[in-house]
Coordinates of all heavy atoms in Angstrom, one line a residue:
M126 N 121.2 125.0 85.8 CA 122.2 124.0 85.3 C 122.0 122.7 85.9 O 121.8 122.7 87.2 CB 123.5 124.7 85.5 CG 124.9 124.0 85.6 SD 125.1 122.3 85.2 CE 126.0 121.8 86.7
P127 N 121.9 121.7 85.3 CA 122.0 121.4 83.9 C 120.7 121.4 83.2 O 119.6 121.2 83.8 CB 122.7 120.1 83.8 CG 122.5 119.4 85.0 CD 122.2 120.5 86.1
H128 N 120.7 121.5 81.8 CA 119.6 121.4 81.0 C 119.7 120.3 80.0 O 120.8 120.2 79.4 CB 119.3 122.7 80.2 CG 118.2 122.7 79.3 ND1 116.9 122.7 79.7 CD2 118.2 122.6 77.9 CE1 116.1 122.6 78.6 NE2 116.9 122.5 77.5
V129 N 118.7 119.5 79.9 CA 118.7 118.3 78.9 C 117.7 118.6 77.9 O 116.5 118.9 78.2 CB 118.4 117.0 79.7 CG1 118.4 115.8 78.7 CG2 119.4 116.8 80.8
T130 N 118.1 118.4 76.6 CA 117.1 118.5 75.5 C 117.1 117.2 74.8 O 118.2 116.7 74.4 CB 117.5 119.6 74.5 OG1 117.5 120.9 75.2 CG2 116.5 119.6 73.3
I131 N 116.0 116.6 74.6 CA 115.8 115.3 73.9 C 115.2 115.6 72.6 O 114.0 116.0 72.5 CB 115.0 114.3 74.7 CG1 115.7 114.0 76.0 CG2 114.8 113.0 73.9 CD1 114.9 113.1 76.9
Q132 N 115.9 115.5 71.5 CA 115.4 115.6 70.1 C 115.0 114.2 69.7 O 115.7 113.3 69.8 CB 116.4 116.2 69.2 CG 116.8 117.7 69.6 CD 117.9 118.2 68.8 OE1 119.0 117.7 68.9 NE2 117.6 119.3 68.1
H133 N 113.8 114.1 69.1 CA 113.2 112.8 68.8 C 112.2 112.9 67.7 O 111.7 114.0 67.4 CB 112.5 112.2 70.1 CG 111.4 113.1 70.6 ND1 110.1 112.9 70.2 CD2 111.5 114.1 71.5 CE1 109.4 113.8 70.8 NE2 110.2 114.6 71.6
F134 N 111.9 111.8 67.1 CA 110.8 111.8 66.1 C 109.5 112.1 66.8 O 109.4 111.7 68.0 CB 110.7 110.4 65.4 CG 111.8 110.2 64.4 CD1 111.9 108.9 63.9 CD2 112.7 111.1 64.0 CE1 112.9 108.6 62.9 CE2 113.7 110.8 63.1 CZ 113.8 109.6 62.6
P135 N 108.5 112.7 66.2 CA 107.3 113.1 66.9 C 106.6 111.8 67.5 O 106.6 110.8 66.9 CB 106.4 113.6 65.8 CG 107.4 114.2 64.8 CD 108.6 113.3 64.8
L136 N 106.2 112.0 68.7 CA 105.6 110.9 69.5 C 104.7 111.6 70.6 O 105.2 112.5 71.3 CB 106.7 110.1 70.2 CG 106.3 109.0 71.1 CD1 105.5 107.9 70.4 CD2 107.5 108.4 71.9
D137 N 103.5 111.1 70.6 CA 102.6 111.7 71.6 C 102.7 111.0 72.9 O 102.1 109.9 73.1 CB 101.1 111.6 71.0 CG 100.1 112.4 71.9 OD1 100.6 113.3 72.6 OD2 99.0 112.1 71.8
L138 N 103.5 111.5 73.8 CA 103.7 110.9 75.1 C 102.6 111.4 76.1 O 102.4 112.6 76.2 CB 105.0 111.2 75.7 CG 106.3 110.6 75.1 CD1 107.5 111.2 75.7 CD2 106.2 109.1 75.2
A139 N 101.9 110.4 76.7 CA 100.9 110.8 77.7 C 101.6 111.5 78.9 O 102.8 111.3 79.1 CB 100.2 109.5 78.2
P140 N 100.9 112.3 79.6 CA 101.5 113.1 80.7 C 102.2 112.2 81.7 O 103.2 112.5 82.2 CB 100.3 113.8 81.3 CG 99.3 114.0 80.2 CD 99.5 112.8 79.4
E141 N 101.6 111.0 82.0 CA 102.2 110.1 83.0 C 103.6 109.6 82.4 O 104.6 109.5 83.2 CB 101.3 108.9 83.2 CG 101.9 107.8 84.1 CD 102.3 108.3 85.5 OE1 101.8 109.3 86.0 OE2 103.1 107.7 86.1
R142 N 103.7 109.3 81.1 CA 105.0 108.9 80.6 C 106.0 110.0 80.6 O 107.2 109.8 80.9 CB 104.8 108.4 79.1 CG 104.1 107.0 79.1 CD 103.9 106.5 77.7 NE 105.2 106.1 77.1 CZ 105.4 105.9 75.9 NH1 104.4 105.9 75.0 NH2 106.6 105.5 75.4
K143 N 105.6 111.2 80.3 CA 106.4 112.4 80.4 C 107.0 112.6 81.9 O 108.1 112.9 82.1 CB 105.7 113.7 80.0 CG 105.5 113.8 78.5 CD 104.8 115.1 78.1 CE 104.5 115.2 76.7 NZ 103.8 116.4 76.3
R144 N 106.1 112.4 82.8 CA 106.5 112.5 84.2 C 107.5 111.5 84.6 O 108.5 111.8 85.2 CB 105.2 112.5 85.1 CG 105.6 112.8 86.6 CD 104.5 112.4 87.6 NE 104.2 111.0 87.6 CZ 105.0 110.0 88.1 NH1 106.1 110.3 88.7 NH2 104.6 108.7 88.0
R145 N 107.3 110.2 84.2 CA 108.2 109.1 84.5 C 109.6 109.4 83.9 O 110.6 109.2 84.5 CB 107.7 107.8 84.1 CG 106.6 107.2 85.0 CD 106.4 105.7 84.7 NE 106.3 105.4 83.3 CZ 105.1 105.2 82.7 NH1 104.0 105.4 83.3 NH2 105.1 104.9 81.4
L146 N 109.5 109.9 82.6 CA 110.8 110.2 81.9 C 111.5 111.3 82.7 O 112.7 111.2 82.9 CB 110.5 110.6 80.5 CG 111.7 111.0 79.6 CD1 112.7 109.9 79.5 CD2 111.2 111.4 78.2
A147 N 110.8 112.4 83.0 CA 111.4 113.5 83.7 C 111.9 113.1 85.0 O 113.1 113.5 85.4 CB 110.4 114.6 83.8
D148 N 111.2 112.3 85.8 CA 111.7 111.8 87.1 C 112.9 111.0 87.0 O 113.9 111.2 87.8 CB 110.6 111.0 87.8 CG 109.4 111.9 88.3 OD1 109.5 113.1 88.2 OD2 108.4 111.3 88.7
A149 N 113.0 110.1 86.0 CA 114.1 109.2 85.9 C 115.4 110.0 85.4 O 116.5 109.8 86.0 CB 113.8 108.1 84.9
L150 N 115.2 110.9 84.4 CA 116.3 111.7 84.0 C 116.8 112.6 85.1 O 118.0 112.8 85.3 CB 115.9 112.5 82.7 CG 115.7 111.7 81.5 CD1 115.1 112.5 80.4 CD2 117.1 111.1 81.0
T151 N 115.9 113.2 85.8 CA 116.2 114.2 86.8 C 117.1 113.5 87.9 O 118.1 114.0 88.3 CB 115.0 114.8 87.5 OG1 114.3 115.6 86.5 CG2 115.4 115.7 88.6
A152 N 116.6 112.3 88.3 CA 117.4 111.5 89.3 C 118.8 111.2 88.9 O 119.7 111.3 89.6 CB 116.6 110.2 89.7
L153 N 118.9 110.8 87.6 CA 120.3 110.5 87.1 C 121.2 111.8 87.0 O 122.3 111.7 87.4 CB 120.2 109.9 85.7 CG 119.8 108.4 85.6 CD1 119.4 108.0 84.2 CD2 120.8 107.6 86.2
V154 N 120.6 112.8 86.5 CA 121.4 114.1 86.4 C 121.8 114.6 87.8 O 122.9 115.0 88.0 CB 120.5 115.2 85.7 CG1 121.2 116.5 85.8 CG2 120.4 114.7 84.2
V155 N 120.9 114.5 88.8 CA 121.2 115.0 90.1 C 122.3 114.1 90.7 O 123.3 114.7 91.3 CB 119.9 114.9 91.0 CG1 120.3 115.0 92.5 CG2 118.9 116.0 90.7
A156 N 122.2 112.8 90.5 CA 123.3 111.9 91.1 C 124.6 112.1 90.4 O 125.7 112.2 91.1 CB 122.8 110.5 90.9
E157 N 124.6 112.3 89.1 CA 125.9 112.3 88.3 C 126.5 113.7 88.4 O 127.7 113.8 88.3 CB 125.7 111.8 86.9 CG 125.3 110.4 86.8 CD 126.3 109.4 87.5 OE1 127.5 109.7 87.4 OE2 125.8 108.5 88.1
F158 N 125.7 114.8 88.4 CA 126.3 116.1 88.4 C 126.4 116.7 89.8 O 126.9 117.8 90.0 CB 125.4 117.0 87.5 CG 125.7 116.8 86.1 CD1 125.0 115.8 85.4 CD2 126.6 117.7 85.4 CE1 125.3 115.6 84.0 CE2 126.8 117.5 84.0 CZ 126.2 116.4 83.3
G159 N 125.9 116.0 90.8 CA 126.0 116.5 92.2 C 125.2 117.8 92.4 O 125.7 118.7 93.1
T160 N 124.0 117.8 91.8 CA 123.2 119.0 91.9 C 121.9 118.7 92.6 O 121.8 117.6 93.3 CB 123.0 119.7 90.5 OG1 122.4 121.0 90.7 CG2 122.2 118.8 89.6
Y161 N 120.9 119.5 92.5 CA 119.6 119.3 93.2 C 118.5 119.3 92.1 O 118.7 119.9 91.1 CB 119.4 120.3 94.3 CG 119.3 121.8 93.8 CD1 118.1 122.4 93.6 CD2 120.5 122.5 93.5 CE1 118.0 123.7 93.2 CE2 120.4 123.8 93.1 CZ 119.2 124.4 92.9 OH 119.1 125.7 92.4
E162 N 117.4 118.7 92.5 CA 116.3 118.6 91.5 C 115.9 119.9 90.9 O 115.6 120.0 89.7 CB 115.1 117.9 92.2 CG 115.3 116.4 92.4 CD 114.0 115.7 92.9 OE1 112.9 116.3 92.8 OE2 114.1 114.6 93.4
G163 N 115.8 120.9 91.7 CA 115.3 122.2 91.2 C 116.2 122.9 90.2 O 115.8 123.8 89.5
A164 N 117.5 122.4 90.1 CA 118.4 123.0 89.1 C 118.3 122.3 87.7 O 118.8 122.9 86.8 CB 119.8 122.8 89.6
V165 N 117.6 121.2 87.6 CA 117.5 120.5 86.4 C 116.3 120.9 85.6 O 115.2 121.0 86.1 CB 117.4 119.0 86.7 CG1 117.3 118.2 85.4 CG2 118.6 118.5 87.5
S166 N 116.5 121.1 84.3 CA 115.4 121.4 83.3 C 115.5 120.4 82.2 O 116.6 120.0 81.8 CB 115.4 122.8 82.8 OG 116.6 123.2 82.3
I167 N 114.4 120.0 81.6 CA 114.3 119.0 80.6 C 113.3 119.5 79.5 O 112.2 119.9 79.8 CB 113.9 117.6 81.1 CG1 114.9 117.2 82.2 CG2 113.9 116.6 79.9 CD1 114.4 115.9 82.9
A168 N 113.8 119.4 78.2 CA 112.9 119.8 77.1 C 112.8 118.6 76.2 O 113.7 117.9 75.9 CB 113.4 121.0 76.4
L169 N 111.6 118.4 75.6 CA 111.4 117.5 74.5 C 111.2 118.3 73.2 O 110.4 119.2 73.2 CB 110.1 116.6 74.8 CG 110.2 115.7 76.0 CD1 108.8 115.0 76.1 CD2 111.3 114.7 75.8
E170 N 112.0 117.9 72.2 CA 111.9 118.6 70.9 C 111.7 117.7 69.8 O 112.6 117.0 69.3 CB 113.3 119.4 70.7 CG 113.3 120.2 69.5 CD 114.6 120.9 69.3 OE1 115.4 121.1 70.3 OE2 115.0 121.2 68.1
P171 N 110.4 117.6 69.3 CA 110.1 116.7 68.2 C 110.7 117.2 66.9 O 110.7 118.4 66.7 CB 108.6 116.7 68.1 CG 108.1 117.4 69.3 CD 109.2 118.2 69.9
V172 N 111.3 116.3 66.1 CA 111.9 116.6 64.8 C 111.3 115.7 63.8 O 111.3 114.5 64.0 CB 113.4 116.5 64.9 CG1 114.0 116.8 63.5 CG2 114.0 117.4 66.0
D173 N 110.8 116.3 62.7 CA 110.2 115.4 61.7 C 111.3 114.5 61.1 O 112.4 115.0 60.9 CB 109.7 116.3 60.6 CG 109.0 115.6 59.5 OD1 107.8 115.3 59.7 OD2 109.6 115.2 58.5
P174 N 111.0 113.2 60.9 CA 112.0 112.3 60.3 C 112.7 112.8 59.1 O 113.9 112.6 58.9 CB 111.2 111.0 60.0 CG 110.0 111.1 61.0 CD 109.7 112.5 61.1
G175 N 112.0 113.5 58.2 CA 112.6 114.1 57.0 C 113.6 115.2 57.3 O 114.4 115.5 56.4
D176 N 113.5 115.8 58.5 CA 114.4 116.9 58.8 C 115.6 116.4 59.7 O 116.5 117.2 60.0 CB 113.6 118.0 59.6 CG 112.6 118.6 58.7 OD1 112.7 118.6 57.5 OD2 111.6 119.1 59.3
W177 N 115.5 115.1 60.1 CA 116.5 114.6 61.1 C 117.9 114.8 60.7 O 118.8 115.3 61.4 CB 116.2 113.2 61.4 CG 117.1 112.7 62.5 CD1 118.2 112.0 62.5 CD2 116.8 112.9 63.9 NE1 118.7 111.7 63.7 CE2 117.9 112.2 64.6 CE3 115.8 113.5 64.7 CZ2 118.0 112.2 66.0 CZ3 115.9 113.5 66.1 CH2 117.0 112.9 66.7
A178 N 118.3 114.4 59.5 CA 119.7 114.5 59.0 C 120.2 115.9 59.1 O 121.3 116.2 59.6 CB 119.8 113.9 57.6
A179 N 119.4 116.9 58.5 CA 119.9 118.2 58.4 C 119.8 119.0 59.8 O 120.6 119.8 60.1 CB 119.1 119.0 57.4
A180 N 118.7 118.7 60.5 CA 118.5 119.5 61.8 C 119.2 118.9 63.0 O 119.5 119.6 63.9 CB 117.0 119.5 62.1
V181 N 119.4 117.6 63.0 CA 120.0 117.0 64.2 C 121.3 116.2 63.9 O 122.4 116.5 64.4 CB 119.0 116.0 64.9 CG1 119.6 115.3 66.1 CG2 117.7 116.7 65.2
Y182 N 121.3 115.3 63.0 CA 122.4 114.4 62.7 C 123.7 115.2 62.3 O 124.7 115.1 63.0 CB 122.1 113.3 61.7 CG 123.3 112.4 61.6 CD1 123.6 111.4 62.6 CD2 124.2 112.5 60.5 CE1 124.7 110.6 62.5 CE2 125.3 111.7 60.5 CZ 125.6 110.8 61.4 OH 126.7 110.0 61.4
Q183 N 123.6 115.9 61.3 CA 124.8 116.7 60.8 C 125.3 117.7 61.8 O 126.5 117.6 62.1 CB 124.5 117.3 59.4 CG 124.3 116.4 58.3 CD 125.6 115.5 58.1 OE1 126.7 116.0 58.2 NE2 125.4 114.3 57.7
P184 N 124.5 118.6 62.3 CA 125.1 119.6 63.2 C 125.4 119.1 64.6 O 126.3 119.6 65.2 CB 124.0 120.7 63.2 CG 122.7 120.0 62.9 CD 123.1 118.9 62.0
R185 N 124.6 118.2 65.1 CA 124.7 117.9 66.6 C 125.3 116.5 66.8 O 125.8 116.3 68.0 CB 123.3 117.9 67.2 CG 122.7 119.3 67.0 CD 121.6 119.6 67.9 NE 121.8 119.3 69.3 CZ 122.2 120.2 70.2 NH1 122.3 121.5 69.9 NH2 122.3 119.9 71.5
I186 N 125.4 115.6 65.9 CA 126.0 114.3 66.1 C 127.3 114.2 65.3 O 128.3 114.2 65.9 CB 125.0 113.2 65.7 CG1 123.7 113.3 66.7 CG2 125.6 111.8 65.8 CD1 122.6 112.4 66.3
A187 N 127.1 114.2 64.0 CA 128.3 114.1 63.1 C 129.3 115.3 63.3 O 130.5 115.2 63.3 CB 127.9 113.9 61.7
G188 N 128.7 116.5 63.5 CA 129.4 117.7 63.6 C 130.1 118.0 64.9 O 130.9 118.8 65.0
R189 N 129.7 117.2 66.0 CA 130.3 117.4 67.3 C 130.6 116.1 68.0 O 130.1 115.8 69.1 CB 129.4 118.2 68.1 CG 129.2 119.6 67.6 CD 128.6 120.5 68.6 NE 127.1 120.4 68.5 CZ 126.3 121.1 69.3 NH1 126.8 121.9 70.2 NH2 125.0 120.9 69.2
P190 N 131.3 115.2 67.3 CA 131.5 113.8 67.9 C 132.2 113.9 69.3 O 132.0 113.0 70.1 CB 132.4 113.1 66.9 CG 133.1 114.2 66.2 CD 132.1 115.3 66.1
E191 N 133.0 114.9 69.5 CA 133.8 115.0 70.8 C 132.8 115.3 72.0 O 133.2 115.0 73.1 CB 134.8 116.1 70.7 CG 134.3 117.5 70.7 CD 133.8 118.0 69.3 OE1 133.9 117.2 68.3 OE2 133.2 119.1 69.3
Q192 N 131.6 115.7 71.7 CA 130.6 116.0 72.8 C 129.7 114.8 73.1 O 129.1 114.8 74.1 CB 129.8 117.2 72.4 CG 130.6 118.5 72.4 CD 129.7 119.7 72.2 OE1 128.5 119.5 71.8 NE2 130.2 120.9 72.3
L193 N 129.7 113.8 72.2 CA 128.9 112.6 72.4 C 129.4 111.8 73.6 O 130.6 111.5 73.6 CB 128.8 111.8 71.2 CG 128.1 112.4 69.9 CD1 128.2 111.4 68.8 CD2 126.7 112.8 70.2
I194 N 128.5 111.3 74.4 CA 128.9 110.3 75.4 C 128.3 108.9 75.0 O 128.7 107.9 75.5 CB 128.5 110.6 76.9 CG1 127.0 110.8 77.0 CG2 129.2 111.9 77.3 CD1 126.5 110.9 78.4
K195 N 127.5 108.9 73.9 CA 127.0 107.7 73.3 C 126.7 108.1 71.9 O 125.9 109.0 71.6 CB 125.8 107.1 74.0 CG 125.4 105.8 73.4 CD 124.0 105.4 73.7 CE 123.6 104.1 73.0 NZ 123.7 104.2 71.5
A196 N 127.3 107.4 70.9 CA 127.0 107.6 69.5 C 125.9 106.7 69.1 O 125.7 105.6 69.6 CB 128.3 107.3 68.7
P197 N 125.1 107.2 68.1 CA 124.0 106.3 67.6 C 124.5 105.1 66.8 O 125.6 105.1 66.3 CB 123.2 107.2 66.7 CG 124.2 108.2 66.2 CD 125.2 108.4 67.3
E198 N 123.8 104.1 66.8 CA 124.0 102.9 66.0 C 122.7 102.6 65.3 O 122.0 101.7 65.6 CB 124.4 101.7 66.9 CG 125.7 101.9 67.7 CD 126.0 100.8 68.7 OE1 125.4 99.7 68.6 OE2 126.8 101.1 69.6
Y199 N 122.4 103.5 64.3 CA 121.2 103.4 63.5 C 121.1 102.0 62.8 O 122.0 101.5 62.3 CB 121.1 104.5 62.5 CG 121.1 105.9 63.1 CD1 121.9 106.9 62.6 CD2 120.2 106.2 64.1 CE1 121.8 108.2 63.1 CE2 120.2 107.4 64.7 CZ 121.0 108.4 64.1 OH 120.9 109.7 64.7
R200 N 119.9 101.5 62.9 CA 119.6 100.3 62.1 C 119.2 100.6 60.7 O 118.6 101.6 60.4 CB 118.3 99.5 62.7 CG 118.7 98.9 64.1 CD 117.4 98.3 64.6 NE 116.9 99.2 65.6 CZ 115.7 99.1 66.1 NH1 114.8 98.2 65.7 NH2 115.3 100.0 66.9
R201 N 119.6 99.8 59.8 CA 119.3 100.1 58.4 C 118.1 99.3 57.9 O 117.7 98.4 58.3 CB 120.5 99.8 57.5 CG 121.7 100.6 57.9 CD 122.7 100.7 56.8 NE 123.8 101.5 57.2 CZ 123.9 102.8 56.9 NH1 123.0 103.5 56.3 NH2 125.0 103.5 57.3

């Protein structure tokens, strides 16, 4: 505990970018949740843009607004 999942459009992140992302997120989670680095896990979950509305937006964003700590502000 805690576990962070980032759902995103497919993007080929180089190992160094993944490491920087993991390090930065881990540091924030450790500080804010008062836990230790070994307790944090992080997953990257690519989602095809055509599947975004059905797989992510409807069930996880629009369907659970009370859980959001930041809502999207999509550009049109």
Side-chain angles (χ1 to χ4, degrees):
M126 159 3 233
H128 175 74
V129 177
T130 299
I131 300 174
Q132 294 174 297
H133 59 91
F134 288 171
L136 176 67
D137 188 22
L138 290 175
E141 176 60 23
R142 289 182 68 191
K143 287 181 183 178
R144 187 194 60 75
R145 282 195 315 264
L146 178 61
D148 289 349
L150 289 171
T151 298
L153 284 169
V154 169
V155 165
E157 297 303 322
F158 283 83
T160 191
Y161 62 100
E162 286 186 18
V165 178
S166 56
I167 302 169
L169 295 177
E170 184 179 335
V172 178
D173 186 86
D176 296 335
W177 187 262
V181 179
Y182 183 77
Q183 289 301 324
R185 303 200 44 104
I186 297 171
R189 297 193 275 181
E191 71 282 355
Q192 292 184 350
L193 296 177
I194 61 172
K195 186 199 176 299
E198 297 175 16
Y199 297 133
R200 290 179 259 166
R201 297 204 182 263

